[in-house]
């Protein structure tokens, strides 16, 4: 056998071995691509998946109407024979082999509430060979409920897991409360804006309308309709968001009523890019800026002035500005007004700034350029992409 043949044979053998290894690696890679790797990794994924499915049902609170749907996912996370969630003396959720276990779960929950600690219970009455572990669910330092897991037997891992899962349930309930608080705060802020609009503006608007009833009845009728449109929009109850187009229609009604009072002393200029009209904005976010310009910019001066409302497409954002050539304000005084508890002055400006920062982050608030005698320009930037914010029309 020549050296060339021997070399070819060796290379062929090595090549076969390499090919075999590559095929083995390819099979493992393919299996890993379709699955999640090891059994431990798959178990972790399943636990996280079921936790994510349970979370929405717990966000409404442990006594919420939807909480019962969380039980099957909680049991899947623990891998126990049965799971029961008890609030007070009421079983609000259960899953698994729970026949005859409600009474035992209530007794276990009462003892856990009494001690305030996680506890293990060997063979509760009616549970055949089942043992149980109960863990308190604490919300705001109060035991809001008790999570009870049944198994045969209860091992140390289940005891720890039940305690951790109870803490996780508490976190979801707390998040739900925070969401509800945020919604209530947003509604309170809108009520504050509406309260700010009503006493000052409504009195002036009705006075202006009354002045035209005898001298120019058609004009009085027009103003009544504008007043109706403005109040219908301002006091509507649908949601926190609208479109720029809807807000501008309300602003038009507002300014028509103010023109009835100011006459030729009020000039309004609009520079609105058509592509920005569909932008979703917080409800009553531009109108208070316009009212602020009238009340605090133009009204204090005898000559009146001009208000310019503009919007432009700025790539990822829509930029909206409200500018007046009125009396202006000292920048330091304005900063103090925006950062302290309002005493009524510029409350609309402060309210809008606070809402924008809550929605879009610390850098999402108003930008104000002003000085004494130099007028005021207020700018806001609204993201175009707001997947969780829909207009309510």
């Amino acid at each position: 056998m020549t050296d060339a043949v021997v070399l070819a044979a060796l290379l062929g053998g090595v090549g076969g071995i390499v090919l075999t290894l590559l095929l083995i690696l390819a099979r493992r890679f393919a299996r890993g691509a379709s699955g999640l790797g090891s059994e431990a990794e798959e178990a972790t994924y399943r636990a996280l998946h079921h936790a994510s499915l349970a979370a929405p049902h717990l966000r409404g609170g442990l006594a919420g109407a939807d909480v019962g749907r969380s039980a099957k996912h909680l049991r899947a996370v623990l891998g126990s024979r049965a799971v029961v969630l008890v609030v007070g003396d009421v079983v609000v959720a259960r899953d698994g082999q729970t026949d005859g276990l409600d009474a035992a779960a209530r007794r276990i929950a009462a003892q856990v509430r009494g001690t305030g600690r996680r506890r293990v219970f060997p063979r509760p009455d009616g549970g055949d060979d089942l043992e149980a572990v109960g863990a308190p669910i604490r919300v705001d330092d109060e035991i809001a409920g008790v999570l009870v897991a049944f198994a045969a037997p209860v091992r140390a891992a289940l005891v720890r897991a039940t305690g951790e899962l109870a803490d996780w349930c508490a976190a979801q309930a707390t998040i739900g409360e925070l969401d509800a608080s945020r919604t209530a705060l947003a509604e309170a802020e809108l009520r504050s804006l509406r309260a700010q609009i009503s006493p000052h503006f409504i009195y002036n608007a009705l006075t202006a309308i009354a002045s035209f009833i005898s001298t120019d009845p058609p004009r009085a009728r027009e103003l009544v309709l504008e007043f109706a449109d403005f109040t219908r929009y301002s006091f509507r109850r649908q949601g926190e968001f609208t479109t720029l187009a809807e807000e501008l229609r309300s602003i038009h009604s507002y300014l028509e009523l103010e023109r009835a009072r100011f006459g030729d002393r009020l000039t309004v200029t609009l520079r609105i890019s058509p592509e920005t009209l569909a932008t979703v904005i917080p409800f009553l976010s531009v109108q208070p800026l316009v009212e602020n310009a009238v009340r605090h910019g133009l009204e204090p001066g005898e000559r009146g002035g001009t208000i310019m409302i503009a919007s432009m497409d700025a790539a990822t954002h829509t930029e909206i500005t409200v500018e007046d050539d009125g009396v202006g304000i000292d920048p330091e005084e304005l900063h103090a007004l925006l950062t302290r508890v309002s005493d009524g002055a510029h409350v609309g400006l402060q309210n809008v700034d606070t809402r924008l920062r809550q929605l879009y982050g610390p850098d999402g608030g108003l930008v104000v350029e002003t000085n004494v005698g130099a007028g005021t320009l207020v700018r806001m930037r609204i993201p175009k992409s707001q997947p969780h914010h829909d207009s309510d029309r």
Side-chain angles (χ1 to χ4, degrees), residues 132-363:
V133 54
I137 301 174
R138 295 183 178 275
V139 178
D140 295 331
D141 293 328
E142 298 289 337
I143 297 179
V146 175
L147 180 64
V148 184
F150 293 92
V154 168
R155 301 186 186 278
L158 180 60
V159 175
R160 293 193 299 269
T162 303
E164 294 294 335
L165 189 60
D167 291 342
W168 179 84
C169 290
Q172 300 310 306
T174 301
I175 291 171
E177 288 186 358
L178 291 175
D179 287 343
S181 297
R182 187 183 69 174
T183 300
L185 177 61
E187 292 175 353
E189 288 166 343
L190 288 178
R191 286 195 297 272
S192 174
L193 281 174
R194 289 167 174 145
Q196 177 226 352
I197 290 168
S198 54
H200 180 88
F201 171 74
I202 291 178
Y203 174 81
N204 288 334
L206 292 176
T207 301
I209 291 170
S211 70
F212 283 99
I213 289 176
S214 58
T215 60
D216 191 350
R219 177 63 171 154
R221 284 195 294 271
E222 291 175 4
L223 292 175
V224 168
L225 293 176
E226 297 289 3
F227 181 76
D229 288 342
F230 174 79
T231 53
R232 185 183 301 113
Y233 177 80
S234 298
F235 293 95
R236 76 173 197 177
R237 302 186 65 85
Q238 306 104 304
E240 298 179 49
F241 295 89
T242 187
T243 63
L244 178 59
E246 290 287 339
E247 188 100 343
L248 287 174
R249 275 194 279 271
S250 174
I251 290 169
H252 168 80
S253 297
Y254 167 78
L255 289 173
E256 283 299 306
L257 291 161
E258 290 291 26
R259 278 200 188 99
R261 197 162 60 93
F262 277 83
D264 295 338
R265 294 187 301 123
L266 175 59
T267 302
V268 179
T269 302
L270 296 178
R271 292 182 180 174
I272 306 297
S273 297
E275 63 270 24
T276 65
L277 290 172
T279 300
V280 174
I281 65 173
F283 176 61
L284 285 183
S285 57
V286 181
Q287 191 277 333
L289 307 185
V290 176
E291 183 171 358
N292 186 79
V294 173
R295 289 182 60 185
H296 301 291
L298 305 187
E299 194 170 319
E302 295 182 359
R303 63 181 180 85
T306 299
I307 291 176
M308 178 184 292
I309 305 169
S311 68
M312 61 175 289
D313 190 325
T316 60
H317 290 68
T318 292
E319 186 171 289
I320 303 168
T321 59
V322 176
E323 183 176 7
D324 68 77
D325 59 0
V327 298
I329 185 173
D330 181 81
E332 292 186 4
E333 182 181 350
L334 177 65
H335 180 267
L337 286 169
L338 292 177
T339 54
R340 74 186 183 205
V341 177
S342 176
D343 58 0
H346 298 275
V347 63
L349 206 64
Q350 184 187 58
N351 196 306
V352 172
D353 180 67
T354 299
R355 290 167 62 209
L356 291 176
R357 292 179 189 278
Q358 289 174 344
L359 290 168
Y360 307 124
D363 297 328

Side-chain angles (χ1 to χ4, degrees), residues 55-141:
H57 305 307
L58 295 166
R59 297 281 172 86
L62 299 184
D66 206 31
V67 71
R69 298 184 179 182
S70 67
K72 66 178 181 179
H73 303 299
L74 298 177
R75 188 172 74 86
V77 171
L78 294 176
S80 58
R81 185 84 63 87
V83 159
V84 179
L85 181 58
V86 183
V87 174
D89 195 40
V90 179
V91 172
V92 297
R94 64 173 73 80
D95 188 70
Q97 301 173 14
T98 59
D99 291 345
L101 292 179
D102 280 9
R106 286 195 292 267
R107 285 194 295 273
I108 289 169
Q111 294 184 54
V112 169
R113 286 195 303 271
T115 61
R117 298 171 58 187
R118 181 183 63 196
R119 292 189 57 186
V120 176
F121 299 84
R123 295 188 178 224
D125 294 341
D128 297 327
D129 61 340
L130 294 180
E131 297 178 350
V133 54
I137 301 174
R138 295 183 178 275
V139 178
D140 295 331
D141 293 328

